[in-house]
Amino acid sequence: MYCNTFGRFACRVFRESRFQCPMNKGQGTMSKRLATWTSCKHYKQFLERHLSNLKFMGVATRLVQHVRTVSHSTLDPAEVRKFQAMANKWWDLQGDFAALHSLNDLRVPFIRDNLLNVHSVHPISKPLAGLRILDVGCGGGLLTEPLGRLGAVVLGIDPVEDNVRIAELHASHDPVLQDHVQYRACTLEELADEEEEHFDAVLASEVLEHLADLDTFIHCCHCVLKPGGSLFITTINRTQLSYVSSIVLAEWLLRIVPGGTHDWDKFITPVELERLLESSGFCVESLRGMFYNPACGAWSWQKSTAVNYALHALKQRAEPQQDHIQPESDGLDASAHTDGPHQYNIRTAGRDTHTHTT
Amino acid sequence: MLAAAGVWRRCINITIRSLNGAKVVTRGFVSSENAEESGKADSDVYDIIISGGGMVGTAMACSVGFDPNLQGSKILLLEAGSKKEMDKAPDVYSTRVSSISPGSATLLSGLGAWDHIVNLRCKPYQKMQVWDACSDALITFDKENLQDEMAYVVENDVIVAALTKQLHALSDQVEVQYRTKVVKYTWPRPYHAVTSIPWVKVTLADGRTLKTKLLIGADGSNSMVRREAGIPTVKWNYDQSAVVAVLHLSELSDRESSLVWSTSHQHAEELLQMDEESFVDAINSAFWSNENQSELVEAAGSLFRAALSFLMPDGTSTRQLPPSVAGVGPKSRVMFPLGMGHASEYIRHRVALIGDAAHRVHPLAGQGANLGFGDVSCLARVLSQAAFNGKDLGEMQHLLEYETERQRHNLPMMAATDLMKRLYSTNAAPMVLLRTLGIQATNALPPLKEQIIAYASK
């Protein structure tokens, strides 16, 4: 049931190019990647050994959290490996990613309707015409393709090259998609260097719970978005209920997803996420809970965000600098912050971090 | 990683859409494609190909062509016959007619074809009477005030011509190829043969091959689409043929009527061979004769009727006598065999069946065309919603919605029609008694009749 987050895995492993998936050996297009990989191979190997040792000692969950905050990049090699093995199964509608396919019934209308609210009216048969969208962690292109069919120009990125290959192959047969959908095997950080303020919307669906560094990730999302652009996130909450359903039920008892797929410590609560977003220059517009019914394989909206939830945030437009700084509001209060200086500091800090590890 | 060459099957779990929803599962299909093909995008991929340009196929083409969510889609209609155009109604009435319910009329008027039909030729009727040859029982259906039309009798050619005219307005959206015969369908391979072409391939008689994301089979009761997809069909032949003719009634001059006479094959052939006078005599005697009535049934019937009129004094409506036939239209007699057929699945991956390709009924209830138009409006709605959600049109999930909704509507109607046919095919006294009492009771219950009319009018 939560194997949709499982699907998120593949998408969500962002690392700097140095730590690019070692499975990419021999893939010709990634010569640049290989060079950087070679140069920092030893760091990656250290980290992998570190991770495997931790798991062996049974303290993985705690230290993964620790690892997440320490590492300066968003990619997690263990997660990358998991999704490598699953790469061919993306388009099996009854396979491991079935719940991800059915999640499109919720997330495509959610994205479409919120974008239509923000942007002006478009021809009804192509409601998203003229919009540029970035799908971070696109996997096999499950979410990228429907949005392409709705008229948007979508770039899907994923660090796992097999996923990108599968996605490209699947889209290659359809002439409509050829004009609207493109894929790249890279990380968000790499893209943030090149494509600043380029996209009307960024999608991070079932990504966050697999990331190593959330702050950098959100910062990069902020970079690539145009002012007033939309960020769409779907992820899992960190509650007792989500532990029971995602870990106990899904992994141990029902074995809907393989053991070790999810790490409960990496789940993020809506409150934490909103705080992070608002301090990064976003304003949360809407937050909705989602419920998966394993009996019929269908998703539905619900009020409670106890397990899965979807969130839409807008990047603040640059405003003339205000002298007052409002106290940071908690929870679901989506009041707009106009902290000019604060924003600038964050950005600088982010860039410093980025350049430091370059 | 790539699937091996040759024919293979996928196992199926049951697809049951219960009231709470169902597990969407795959359907097995036989793949006859042997070679993998390159993954080059082909600009010659249609979004929808409709195979069969009859009433239902053409209505489907119009529906998807006019739909705002499907603007910009490439749609193709393939028809083996030639184009049917009609500027004004021909003098001679056509023998193939259909009873069009208000629901179907609404669909046709939404497509803009109803105006053309009314301008060409159509006959609304307010009342329907059914009487039994073996007793005096009868049942009358009418709307409460006779101002409202119950349904319309329209010639099939008129409907097709009206829809064809509407297709002209869509010529940049919907392509139509007449005199085009399909010789072969090739089905797509399953998901993990990623490099092979995932579309349905349609091979035409002139050697061209077309590809489509969704194939809609509207090719009639002997559907090639259904046969080649290997969809199992429940069907049986009634030992009956229908003789259709155009009658001249004697009440008023120039009053014409359409006849559908369902009878045994042998009798049907005899009727066809008779000269016109004998044929007219045969019809009149069939209407008026009481040779099949038995006294027992008559006595029971009149007793029951007396009881009903005691309980419900105004329960029975006036009885209209059968018409007298004066003549029959020249060379208008045609015969065709009758049967019942129902495809157990209306859909497969990238395939959907509509109209007679999915279900074939006895004409006694006048529902065949209406079920087809109901399929058209349901499938068009489902595809429109799928397009608005950015889905691949051939995906099973929304096609299953269409199948579930239509099967839930069509199966009771077909079962009722089949039951009626069997009930009325016999002269055996117990059955006659049963149906006599049943008809009289139903006739005396206006709420029940209203329900029946409402269901049939959809």
Side-chain angles (χ1 to χ4, degrees), chain A residues 88-89 91-94 105 108-109 112 124-125 127 146 149-150 165 169-170 172-176 178 294-296, chain B residues 1 10 22-24 26 39-42 68-69 71 191 194-196 198-199 213 387-392 397:
Chain A
N88 290 330
K89 302 185 185 172
W91 288 99
D92 180 5
L93 270 77
Q94 274 76 48
D105 292 341
V108 173
R112 176 197 71 212
I124 192 162
S125 66
R149 281 190 207 104
L150 288 177
R165 191 170 53 84
L169 263 175
H170 193 265
S172 66
H173 299 296
D174 190 343
V176 169
Q178 290 284 293
C296 62
Chain B
M1 181 177 85
R10 273 176 96 176
K23 243 188 184 82
V24 173
T26 57
K40 285 255 160 61
D42 203 327
N69 286 330
Q71 294 298 308
Y191 76 96
V194 180
T195 55
S196 66
W199 315 124
K213 298 177 190 171
F388 190 50
N389 287 340
K391 289 197 188 166
D392 180 350
Q397 189 193 1

Side-chain angles (χ1 to χ4, degrees), chain A residues 29-320:
Chain A
T29 54
M30 293 295 124
S31 52
K32 175 181 167 194
R33 190 178 309 284
L34 279 175
T36 53
W37 174 80
T38 322
S39 67
C40 297
K41 184 169 70 169
H42 60 281
Y43 185 24
K44 181 191 70 58
Q45 283 172 347
F46 162 74
L47 203 59
E48 283 176 54
R49 263 200 309 277
H50 184 60
L51 272 177
S52 58
N53 286 341
L54 292 173
K55 284 194 160 77
F56 180 72
M57 287 188 295
V59 296
T61 52
R62 295 283 166 266
L63 286 173
V64 166
Q65 177 71 26
H66 178 63
V67 165
R68 186 187 203 153
T69 52
V70 160
S71 79
H72 296 295
S73 169
T74 55
L75 217 67
D76 186 341
E79 311 250 359
V80 171
R81 267 198 300 278
K82 275 176 205 147
F83 285 96
Q84 205 69 46
M86 309 266 308
N88 290 330
K89 302 185 185 172
W90 282 105
W91 288 99
D92 180 5
L93 270 77
Q94 274 76 48
D96 292 325
F97 294 118
L100 272 181
H101 282 277
S102 61
L103 185 58
N104 276 349
D105 292 341
L106 289 192
R107 37 184 194 169
V108 173
F110 182 67
I111 294 166
R112 176 197 71 212
D113 294 340
N114 279 306
L115 284 177
L116 284 176
N117 279 341
V118 171
H119 298 267
S120 54
V121 175
H122 288 275
I124 192 162
S125 66
K126 299 281 176 210
L128 301 181
L131 296 181
R132 296 188 58 96
I133 300 182
L134 173 67
D135 183 5
V136 185
C138 59
L142 270 61
L143 183 53
T144 325
E145 289 194 7
L147 295 173
R149 281 190 207 104
L150 288 177
V153 173
V154 194
L155 171 66
I157 64 172
D158 198 282
V160 178
E161 218 181 283
D162 279 354
N163 289 342
V164 169
R165 191 170 53 84
I166 296 281
E168 277 172 343
L169 263 175
H170 193 265
S172 66
H173 299 296
D174 190 343
V176 169
L177 290 178
Q178 290 284 293
D179 298 330
H180 288 100
V181 157
Q182 227 188 327
Y183 295 99
R184 246 176 90 171
C186 67
T187 65
L188 181 60
E189 287 111 350
E190 285 165 19
L191 202 70
D193 288 338
E194 304 162 13
E195 311 261 12
E196 214 174 291
E197 297 205 352
H198 198 75
F199 294 100
D200 296 290
V202 170
L203 317 177
S205 182
E206 307 298 314
V207 181
L208 299 198
E209 63 266 24
H210 302 291
L211 291 181
D213 182 354
L214 268 184
D215 294 325
T216 310
F217 181 79
I218 298 292
H219 165 69
C220 292
C221 289
H222 191 274
C223 284
V224 300
L225 269 176
K226 292 179 185 167
S230 294
L231 173 63
F232 293 96
I233 293 174
T234 74
T235 187
I236 311 184
N237 200 344
R238 193 179 68 248
T239 59
Q240 288 182 341
L241 182 59
S242 74
Y243 183 81
V244 167
S245 52
S246 305
I247 311 292
V248 175
L249 279 177
E251 290 187 23
W252 298 351
L253 293 182
L254 300 178
R255 298 196 186 275
I256 296 174
V257 295
T261 299
H262 293 127
D263 179 3
W264 188 79
D265 286 301
K266 279 187 168 178
F267 293 171
I268 181 165
T269 67
V271 170
E272 288 168 2
L273 182 58
E274 282 181 62
R275 199 174 288 144
L276 174 60
L277 287 172
E278 290 187 5
S279 65
S280 304
F282 286 97
C283 160
V284 175
E285 290 287 308
S286 78
L287 174 70
R288 299 176 78 175
M290 306 188 288
F291 169 69
Y292 180 80
N293 183 345
C296 62
W299 288 87
S300 54
W301 293 112
Q302 62 171 15
K303 273 182 108 167
S304 159
T305 57
V307 189
N308 294 74
Y309 61 94
L311 181 147
H312 170 223
L314 284 178
K315 171 173 169 176
Q316 309 267 53
R317 293 179 186 277
E319 304 244 0

Side-chain angles (χ1 to χ4, degrees), chain B residues 17 22 59 119 147 159 195 200 217 232 237 255 267 273 286 297 305 324 332 352-354 357 361 375 412 415 425:
Chain B
R17 268 233 157 184
N119 289 337
Q147 305 302 318
I159 299 177
T195 55
V200 175
N237 287 323
R255 194 67 184 279
H267 189 220
Q273 258 127 40
V297 172
R305 207 167 31 244
S324 285
S332 71
L353 298 175
I354 55 174
V361 289
D375 293 346
S425 292

Side-chain angles (χ1 to χ4, degrees), chain B residues 249-448:
Chain B
L249 301 178
S250 59
E251 271 102 26
L252 293 169
S253 60
D254 297 334
R255 194 67 184 279
E256 302 198 333
S257 180
S258 166
L259 169 77
V260 179
W261 189 340
S262 307
T263 182
S264 66
H265 295 303
Q266 192 191 357
H267 189 220
E269 278 168 17
E270 284 169 24
L271 287 172
L272 239 56
Q273 258 127 40
M274 284 179 195
D275 58 39
E276 288 181 13
E277 269 194 47
S278 320
F279 184 70
V280 169
D281 288 339
I283 298 175
N284 281 326
S285 69
F287 277 147
W288 291 98
S289 85
N290 342 3
E291 63 194 19
N292 287 325
Q293 292 189 4
S294 80
E295 286 185 13
L296 165 67
V297 172
E298 259 197 67
S302 48
L303 194 63
F304 193 62
R305 207 167 31 244
L308 278 177
S309 56
F310 179 70
L311 291 169
M312 272 173 278
D314 50 349
T316 55
S317 48
T318 53
R319 180 197 187 104
Q320 183 163 347
L321 296 171
S324 285
V325 179
V328 60
K331 296 192 189 135
S332 71
R333 279 174 280 167
V334 183
M335 161 180 150
F336 55 89
L338 296 177
M340 205 285 293
H342 189 255
S344 54
E345 297 158 9
Y346 288 6
I347 59 136
R348 284 280 166 90
H349 182 48
R350 301 202 184 282
V351 182
L353 298 175
I354 55 174
D356 278 2
H359 41 73
R360 179 188 174 204
V361 289
H362 196 281
L364 68 88
Q367 288 302 313
N370 295 318
L371 294 182
F373 287 127
D375 293 346
V376 166
S377 70
C378 179
L379 184 58
R381 182 173 36 85
V382 156
L383 290 178
S384 174
Q385 189 59 39
F388 190 50
N389 287 340
K391 289 197 188 166
D392 180 350
L393 288 178
E395 256 180 55
M396 290 274 288
Q397 189 193 1
H398 52 269
L399 292 180
L400 271 169
E401 264 182 51
Y402 153 73
E403 181 192 70
T404 309
E405 189 179 320
R406 289 312 295 169
Q407 284 193 340
R408 279 194 195 153
H409 179 266
N410 294 345
L411 277 168
M413 176 68 75
M414 296 179 68
T417 308
D418 192 65
L419 177 67
M420 285 292 124
K421 187 264 167 203
R422 288 175 196 283
L423 200 57
Y424 277 87
S425 292
T426 173
N427 291 339
M431 297 304 283
V432 174
L433 187 62
L434 176 69
R435 71 196 193 208
T436 302
L437 301 180
I439 282 276
Q440 285 176 337
T442 310
N443 198 32
L445 293 170
L448 180 59

